[in-house]
Amino acid sequence: MHIRRFRTQDNQKVKRFINSMLKKEFPGLASVYSGNDLKDIKRHYSGKRERFFVAIDNDKIIGTGGIKEDDKVENKALLRRIFIHPNYRRKGYGLKILDKAVEFCKAQGYSTIIFRSTSKMSAANNLVRKKGFVEREHLYFPLNKKEQVEIIKFVLNLMKPKLMERKR
């Protein structure tokens, strides 16, 4: 398995991969996760400080992850589209994609990475927790008149805390 930068010719395969994962594992959440970025991944992740990664095994896409610039003033990145094929989970591949995304953010000088998920996406939530992301906010989004989904905002601070000077 190797992780590389998204290529234009990957677009349809990535789109099918992510939509398949959403449809099979998270039916009913389409309204929460807009697919606008999947129509043209290269354009949506084309900023100087943005990147989309694909994990490949035997010429098959088995995972994805994207970084979008979220806030230039506060220097925040948004982690998006973290998906791992079910057959490849719990083998460290998700962590490798996440490591690649975090390394990229550090190289770009971001101070913070934000990841928004739902309470139903427990595998992704556990993955980001392992990497040190902390839950900061819970919001509730209506799916229909009877149901709502919990949106969880996770944050990873990339800035090293300043050491306090010792008083003598």
Side-chain angles (χ1 to χ4, degrees):
M1 190 277 303
H2 69 282
I3 300 167
R4 64 166 169 77
R5 189 174 185 174
F6 170 86
R7 298 176 187 153
T8 304
Q9 61 267 30
D10 296 330
N11 207 97
Q12 289 306 312
K13 288 180 182 178
V14 168
K15 184 178 177 179
R16 277 194 303 274
F17 173 75
I18 292 173
N19 284 333
S20 167
M21 300 281 291
L22 287 169
K23 187 176 180 180
K24 287 178 188 172
E25 296 188 34
F26 311 105
L29 292 182
S31 62
V32 177
Y33 289 98
S34 163
N36 290 338
D37 62 322
L38 297 179
K39 292 176 185 170
D40 189 351
I41 294 168
K42 184 174 182 170
R43 185 173 62 82
H44 275 84
Y45 295 86
S46 66
K48 288 181 182 179
R49 300 174 74 204
E50 298 177 337
R51 186 74 38 103
F52 198 90
F53 299 101
V54 292
I56 307 290
D57 187 44
N58 294 322
D59 294 324
K60 178 182 171 186
I61 293 174
I62 59 137
T64 61
I67 295 293
K68 288 283 294 173
E69 188 166 48
D70 189 50
D71 187 328
K72 288 182 182 183
V73 175
E74 293 190 23
N75 208 21
K76 294 179 181 178
L78 185 62
L79 175 65
R80 301 201 65 212
R81 303 297 186 181
I82 291 288
F83 289 100
I84 304 296
H85 189 281
N87 294 347
Y88 291 83
R89 290 185 190 153
R90 304 191 62 78
K91 297 177 181 176
Y93 298 127
L95 202 52
K96 287 180 181 180
I97 293 172
L98 191 52
D99 285 343
K100 191 85 160 174
V102 170
E103 286 172 25
F104 175 78
C105 288
K106 286 178 179 178
Q108 297 304 309
Y110 283 114
S111 61
T112 306
I113 304 173
I114 296 168
F115 177 65
R116 291 184 182 93
S117 182
T118 72
S119 54
K120 296 177 186 266
M121 296 179 160
S122 58
N125 298 343
N126 290 335
L127 178 67
V128 297
R129 281 186 192 106
K130 279 183 189 175
K131 191 66 185 168
F133 282 74
V134 177
E135 290 182 40
R136 288 288 163 90
E137 192 174 355
H138 293 252
L139 302 170
Y140 296 89
F141 184 86
L143 292 174
N144 54 48
K145 290 181 180 182
K146 295 180 181 181
E147 293 180 286
Q148 62 183 4
V149 64
E150 181 182 18
I151 307 289
I152 305 168
K153 177 181 175 181
F154 291 90
V155 175
L156 179 65
N157 183 2
L158 298 177
M159 302 299 291
K160 293 181 181 175
K162 293 180 181 178
L163 297 175
M164 297 182 69
E165 289 184 33
R166 294 174 85 181
K167 291 185 180 181
R168 294 182 187 194

